[in-house]
Amino acid sequence: MADKFSRQLPSPHHPNPRVSSNPPTHHPSSPSPSNPSSQTIASPINLLLFALLLILVYYRLRPAPPPALAKPAPPIVFRTFTPPTLKPYNGENNMPVYLAVNGKVFDVSAGRNFYGPGGPYENFAGRDASRGLACGSFDEDMLTKDLQGPLDDLKGLGAEEWEAMRGWEERFQEKYLVVGKLVAVGDEQAKKEDGGKK
């Protein structure tokens, strides 16, 4: 009987044939120090690249500062000019560029490259340009010499020249502001404005 029991009990020196000899299973939740994927993700160069990516995203998505608004131009008051009071508006010394056509004074400062100093029409800046534009001439002799005298009455212009001048006048009215009218020195309207300033 003892012999019978001794057969059933496993001997400490012999392995039990019923007990599994498989090694213990490895739980995936505990990282292995020899796992290569965990070493490559947390490498210093990857952390540096990730930090750079975050910085780039921040600068890309952050709100831009509001743009600075340009200073508005001072308001332009319609006024009466005489040839001497129009002359300083020739674009020199930071002055605006005005010229007169058929009695209307236009602010052509936006076209300073053409009408201001050094431009092809600079002779007309601060002057009555009616005859020069009508005749298609930029010469100085197209301008009234005596600024204290009467305005150019445009006598001697033919039908084509009148048409050319009116074409210029219409073009200026489409592109530029009318800031006043041109009258001769001694005109009643000019006297009233001059009297009001004193």
Side-chain angles (χ1 to χ4, degrees):
M1 188 155 175
D3 204 15
K4 188 177 181 185
F5 283 118
S6 65
R7 256 192 250 152
Q8 290 179 354
L9 292 175
S11 165
H13 304 292
H14 297 291
N16 186 350
R18 291 186 189 150
V19 176
S20 170
S21 62
N22 292 339
T25 57
H26 178 69
H27 294 289
S29 60
S30 58
S32 166
S34 62
N35 188 351
S37 65
S38 66
Q39 288 177 352
T40 55
I41 289 175
S43 69
I45 195 151
N46 283 347
L47 292 175
L48 180 67
L49 289 173
F50 183 69
L52 286 173
L53 178 68
L54 287 177
I55 291 168
L56 287 173
V57 167
Y58 168 75
Y59 281 110
R60 189 80 164 138
L61 298 179
R62 75 176 177 168
L69 298 176
K71 235 183 184 177
I76 296 171
V77 179
F78 187 89
R79 58 179 278 210
T80 302
F81 291 90
T82 60
T85 60
L86 181 61
K87 187 133 175 54
Y89 293 90
N90 57 10
E92 293 177 2
N93 302 319
N94 293 324
M95 289 292 283
V97 184
Y98 292 177
L99 60 80
V101 180
N102 202 20
K104 294 183 181 80
V105 178
F106 295 93
D107 180 355
V108 295
S109 301
R112 185 178 291 271
N113 291 343
F114 294 100
Y115 304 104
Y121 301 94
E122 70 177 327
N123 286 347
F124 297 153
R127 304 295 295 273
D128 182 3
S130 303
R131 183 172 291 274
L133 293 173
C135 297
S137 172
F138 311 128
D139 296 338
E140 191 80 31
D141 61 351
M142 290 283 131
L143 304 171
T144 306
K145 303 285 185 279
D146 182 12
L147 299 183
Q148 298 294 330
L151 296 181
D152 186 351
D153 57 10
L154 303 176
K155 282 185 181 170
L157 293 183
E160 286 183 12
E161 292 163 332
W162 273 101
E163 190 178 333
M165 186 192 63
R166 288 195 182 102
W168 278 101
E169 185 180 357
E170 287 172 12
R171 201 169 307 143
F172 284 133
Q173 283 179 320
E174 289 169 5
K175 287 182 71 174
Y176 304 113
L177 287 174
V178 177
V179 293
K181 65 178 181 176
L182 184 66
V183 298
V185 173
D187 184 273
E188 287 302 317
Q189 185 67 36
K191 284 180 185 175
K192 280 182 192 173
E193 287 195 14
D194 285 343
K197 288 178 189 172
K198 290 179 183 176

